[in-house]
Amino acid sequence: MKLWDGRFKEKTDPIMERFSASIYFDWILFRHDIEGSKAHADMLEKIGILNRQERDAIKDGLDRIKEEIEKGEFPFSNSLEDIHMHIESRLIEMIGDVGRKLHTGRSRNDQVCLDMRLFLKERLMEIEKNLLNLMGIIIDRAQKEKEAIMPGYTHMQRAQVVTFGHYIMAYYFMLKRDMERLKDMRKKLDVLPLGSGALAGSTIPLDREYVKERLGFSDISENSMDTVSDRDFCLDALYSMAMIMLHLSRLSEDMIIFSTQEFSFVNLPDSLCTGSSLMPHKKNPDSLELIRGKTSRVIGDLFSLFTLMKGLPMTYNRDMQEDKEPLFHAIDTVTESLVIMGLCIKEMAINTQKMHDAVYSSYMPAVEMTEYLVLKGIPFRDAHAIVGKMVRECENRGIPLYKMDIDDMRLFSSVFEGDVYEYIEPRNIIRNRKTKGAASLDELERIIEREKAYLNSF
Ligand code: ARG
């Protein structure tokens, strides 16, 4: 029996029932739906719509339904559409007519908003935890590899010497912005929608303040029509998810490149790679490729909700049921991707020798050589041209800059002195950089200490 069929003469077509059903994905909201219903029942008792026994019977029934669902004993059926109707129907079946009072002053329109907010509050907390865990792993790695020099790239060309520690901390800061974004999300989610009804509120004096306290919200929504038609909080969450995936995808891409035989800067853990069915020698970075691949779907999730919402008239429209699958998908994908990336960064081996050799066989210290000349009074543009010519000469001779002897250097500029070799020595470069945020050992140590404190503040 349907809960809304009073005004209907004909039965719903089975194909329509299947088309309309969301139970196969929204059942996941059952705990939040029940939590919301229990608070609603307490409020109805408080304002005299339910007496005590009725309220207790409803709450007890709801607890039993939760158990049935958890044990997998609850029968789901397309004819009851969604999780809200399943629970309410079962409640009526279980405790009789008293159950028919629960939906007083409530609509599935405000109910589904409540469930989604409660769901997101919980799942974003888990994502925050996984994010912090990954950030901690990155800091440990940065600390271990704080002196491991490597080339920093622009245009995929060796550009300037950095350390692996400084490099990997770049990803830490992306994730820190994600963390701060999630903290903002907490505020946005913290608004009680229940009490808005279908779209206009109620003549029954519902005590929204009480429900707010009871469910731990810090605010109450202020316009019933906005409340039931609002999915901004889902879009905000999806944007946050897409950003996390974007960051993980770029890190994946780096690690995929760095783990090639051509680079061999890192060796990924076997436990996160797979072999080839044909080529016996292969070890493929599938975990990272999948993160990169799944990123496209999470970005798609964001776009799908934007597109869903852009033409909807006020207020609730059934289109909005299509908000859930992209949202759930994005949340699940981010939760798992963060764990996979954590394992990868923690367990991969770093080949410091390879990175070191890549630094020493490059012309990257040309930048610091230019700075050396500038500090000796040569205008920057001239210094740039001088060192450019020296690089060309070294390239012709097949030697790195530091192998050119001082007399030859002086042919390019008379200000060169013996101390230039110290100045362009990669390890010294890392020690000599002065600017805030630079790839320097002092800066890295300062940042690591400060960010450890940030992580400990949670
Ligand atoms: N399953 C519906 C959804 O997720 C719940 C709200 C249904 N409201 C309605 N008026 N049909 O959007």
Side-chain angles (χ1 to χ4, degrees):
M1 224 258 314
K2 293 194 169 40
L3 294 171
W4 44 252
D5 64 0
R7 57 106 62 228
F8 284 77
K9 269 211 311 271
E10 287 167 18
K11 285 176 67 169
T12 321
D13 196 310
I15 188 168
M16 174 53 194
E17 284 192 338
R18 222 180 327 131
F19 195 62
S20 163
S22 53
I23 187 63
Y24 61 93
F25 52 82
D26 69 13
W27 71 273
I28 204 90
L29 296 171
F30 74 96
R31 281 196 198 88
H32 309 102
D33 198 76
I34 286 173
E35 190 191 346
S37 286
K38 283 167 75 176
H40 188 63
D42 281 335
M43 185 275 289
L44 291 177
E45 190 265 340
K46 183 165 179 284
I47 63 168
I49 300 278
L50 297 174
N51 65 35
R52 236 165 224 221
Q53 290 93 306
E54 288 173 329
R55 182 212 45 198
D56 292 346
I58 287 175
K59 288 176 73 180
D60 180 58
L62 289 168
D63 282 336
R64 275 154 57 202
I65 292 170
K66 187 162 90 179
E67 255 180 62
E68 286 181 354
I69 300 177
E70 277 166 351
K71 284 193 191 140
E73 289 165 358
F74 189 96
F76 292 125
S77 124
N78 285 342
S79 68
L80 287 171
E81 282 183 31
D82 54 25
I83 188 62
H84 325 295
M85 301 257 250
H86 273 80
I87 291 174
E88 196 187 339
S89 300
R90 179 77 184 114
L91 184 71
I92 294 167
E93 193 178 274
M94 210 179 234
I95 65 170
D97 279 348
V98 182
R100 304 179 76 84
K101 293 191 173 183
L102 173 64
H103 209 51
T104 309
R106 189 174 71 169
S107 155
R108 278 183 295 157
N109 297 355
D110 58 351
Q111 189 178 356
V112 73
C113 293
L114 175 69
D115 292 5
M116 303 254 281
R117 282 176 185 272
L118 291 172
F119 167 84
L120 277 175
K121 270 181 153 191
E122 183 183 302
R123 294 296 304 269
L124 292 185
M125 286 267 271
E126 187 185 353
I127 287 177
E128 279 183 23
K129 213 184 77 214
N130 292 358
L131 198 55
L132 289 171
N133 182 51
L134 174 56
M135 289 162 78
I137 289 171
I138 291 179
I139 290 200
D140 287 347
R141 259 278 121 117
Q143 185 138 38
K144 258 190 240 144
E145 257 73 56
K146 67 179 180 183
E147 296 190 58
I149 53 171
M150 72 179 281
Y153 297 82
T154 63
H155 313 266
M156 273 310 282
Q157 307 292 322
R158 289 176 192 170
Q160 283 192 266
V161 59
V162 298
T163 58
F164 191 85
H166 185 70
Y167 155 76
I168 199 77
M169 282 302 281
Y171 284 98
Y172 171 91
F173 281 104
M174 295 182 211
L175 299 175
K176 185 179 178 186
R177 287 196 293 276
D178 293 331
M179 187 62 207
E180 292 295 309
R181 204 175 288 112
L182 288 179
K183 268 167 54 187
D184 287 346
M185 270 304 298
R186 282 192 220 162
K187 275 179 247 150
K188 290 187 169 131
L189 287 174
D190 220 6
V191 184
L192 174 79
L194 203 67
S196 303
L199 75 162
S202 175
T203 56
I204 300 166
L206 307 170
D207 189 344
R208 298 189 71 197
E209 193 60 42
Y210 172 84
V211 180
K212 177 196 103 173
E213 294 296 324
R214 175 74 176 60
L215 289 174
F217 283 97
S218 48
D219 260 312
I220 297 178
S221 66
E222 304 213 64
N223 179 300
S224 59
M225 295 178 82
D226 173 42
T227 305
V228 296
S229 68
D230 169 31
R231 292 294 180 273
D232 292 2
F233 66 100
C234 299
L235 282 161
D236 286 336
L238 278 173
Y239 177 73
S240 304
M241 297 305 105
M243 274 303 247
I244 295 175
M245 290 306 291
L246 178 78
H247 296 150
L248 295 183
S249 184
R250 292 187 68 183
L251 180 52
S252 297
E253 172 64 9
D254 276 1
M255 291 306 132
I256 291 167
I257 293 174
F258 287 171
S259 67
T260 56
Q261 223 173 336
E262 284 71 9
F263 271 86
S264 298
F265 286 180
V266 304
N267 192 358
L268 301 175
D270 280 5
S271 56
L272 299 175
C273 293
T274 63
S276 157
S277 58
L278 189 148
M279 300 164 281
H281 61 288
K282 291 295 294 289
K283 178 175 137 184
N284 300 325
D286 297 36
S287 49
L288 298 174
E289 291 171 299
L290 282 168
I291 289 177
R292 195 176 57 187
K294 284 170 192 285
T295 300
S296 72
R297 280 181 68 198
V298 174
I299 293 170
D301 292 332
L302 172 64
F303 275 70
S304 121
L305 192 52
F306 264 130
T307 317
L308 179 71
M309 296 305 293
K310 72 174 259 301
L312 292 187
M314 286 295 254
T315 53
Y316 177 83
N317 299 271
R318 191 64 185 281
D319 317 44
M320 288 158 81
Q321 180 167 293
E322 300 292 315
D323 61 357
K324 287 172 204 60
E325 285 165 294
L327 188 69
F328 297 167
H329 172 261
I331 296 282
D332 286 345
T333 306
V334 169
T335 307
E336 282 187 356
S337 299
L338 285 167
V339 175
I340 299 268
M341 187 55 90
L343 290 172
C344 185
I345 302 298
K346 191 175 191 168
E347 283 164 25
M348 70 188 181
I350 310 270
N351 191 339
T352 49
Q353 189 59 47
K354 271 275 181 185
M355 297 193 298
H356 173 276
D357 294 349
V359 168
Y360 277 85
S361 62
S362 81
Y363 290 105
M364 291 187 298
V367 178
E368 284 70 25
M369 200 158 194
T370 307
E371 290 175 355
Y372 172 90
L373 291 176
V374 166
L375 292 175
K376 299 249 171 184
I378 312 272
F380 174 76
R381 271 294 151 231
D382 298 339
H384 187 285
I386 291 167
V387 178
K389 286 193 194 106
M390 293 171 76
V391 168
R392 193 174 354 129
E393 168 70 13
C394 286
E395 241 174 6
N396 287 340
R397 286 159 57 181
I399 54 164
L401 278 170
Y402 66 88
K403 285 272 169 73
M404 183 184 267
D405 64 39
I406 190 70
D407 294 334
D408 287 346
M409 285 196 192
R410 287 222 174 92
L411 298 175
F412 291 89
S413 170
S414 58
V415 305
F416 278 120
E417 288 175 71
D419 59 352
V420 66
Y421 295 100
E422 290 274 287
Y423 204 83
I424 63 166
E425 153 58 35
R427 286 180 195 289
N428 292 338
I429 292 174
I430 294 299
R431 289 197 155 71
N432 288 343
R433 288 205 179 108
K434 308 266 187 303
T435 43
K436 221 173 174 195
S440 80
L441 198 55
D442 287 350
E443 264 303 90
L444 185 58
E445 281 173 346
R446 180 181 73 80
I447 294 278
I448 285 177
E449 282 322 304
R450 198 193 62 199
E451 295 309 315
K452 274 188 187 162
Y454 173 80
L455 290 185
N456 283 334
S457 73
F458 287 92

